[in-house]
Each structure stands twice: as C-alpha cells, then as structure tokens.
Amino acid sequence: MSLCYGEDPRFDIYKQPLMREHILKCFRSGKMTLFPRRSSKRRVASQKTRKETVPLYCKCCLPDDGAEMVECEKCKEWFHKMCLEIPVQKNILWFCEGCRPV
C-alpha cells in the first residue's frame, strides 16, 4: 500500500501481529488502508551499480559478435565483413571508406 501513497516500502517495518486482522478488516469494509507500521523506519543499504563499457566497431556501431572482422590498414578500426559485404579472404590489405586511396 505504501506505493499507492508515493512511499518506498523497503523502509517500512510493519507490526506483524496486527497484519492479519487488518487485512480482514479491509476486505470486510471493501476499502484498503495502510498496514499498521512501527514508528521507526528500516535502514536499507544503498545498491551499487556497475557500469561496463563495451567497445563498438564497424559502420553499424555494434560490438564484436564473434563474426569475422577485418581491420583497416591505416586507421586500425575494425569492421564486420558481413556489413561490408567483403568475401572471406585471408591476409588481405584493406582500407575503410575514409582511408581508401582515391
């Protein structure tokens, strides 16, 4: 019920012995009210989030998906061969559109 009133229920400490009678009373009256709470609030440890950086490649700007890739000989950027529609060849010298000699 705390959520309905814009409160965070993680911090509530409820009076357990009164909970059953309270919910039965709410069912009989057809109206939900806040559960009986203690006057003190619970302390909740802050949750730390972890950020990870995933390198993006190619003109599609997606991460390495395990598919075959090719490296530009000049700028050293990596590209998915499927995105470039390059036939599968080993040991080729390849330049991306930005580095390709005219």
Side-chain angles (χ1 to χ4, degrees), residues 1-100:
M1 270 314 279
S2 300
L3 287 174
C4 295
Y5 292 93
E7 299 174 11
D8 189 342
R10 294 180 302 161
F11 301 107
D12 292 334
I13 302 174
Y14 297 103
K15 296 180 180 177
Q16 294 297 323
L18 304 176
M19 297 286 283
R20 179 177 165 73
E21 186 55 40
H22 177 79
I23 193 74
L24 291 172
K25 182 177 149 188
C26 290
F27 287 148
R28 284 192 291 265
S29 70
K31 182 179 178 186
M32 288 297 294
T33 59
L34 286 173
F35 288 108
R37 294 184 279 187
R38 294 184 188 166
S39 58
S40 61
K41 292 281 189 175
R42 180 180 314 177
R43 291 186 183 155
V44 177
S46 65
Q47 296 177 355
K48 295 181 180 180
T49 57
R50 186 177 86 187
K51 292 183 181 179
E52 291 187 32
T53 303
V54 177
L56 302 178
Y57 301 98
C58 193
K59 62 182 182 181
C60 67
C61 295
L62 292 174
D64 180 4
D65 60 359
E68 200 163 359
M69 297 179 78
V70 63
E71 181 183 29
C72 174
E73 292 295 323
K74 186 172 183 184
C75 68
K76 302 300 183 193
E77 290 290 325
W78 286 89
F79 296 83
H80 301 108
K81 283 190 174 184
M82 286 182 57
C83 294
L84 304 170
E85 299 177 6
I86 295 176
V88 179
Q89 297 175 6
K90 300 288 182 191
N91 302 324
I92 61 168
L93 291 178
W94 181 81
F95 296 93
C96 68
E97 289 179 16
C99 299
R100 191 170 295 139

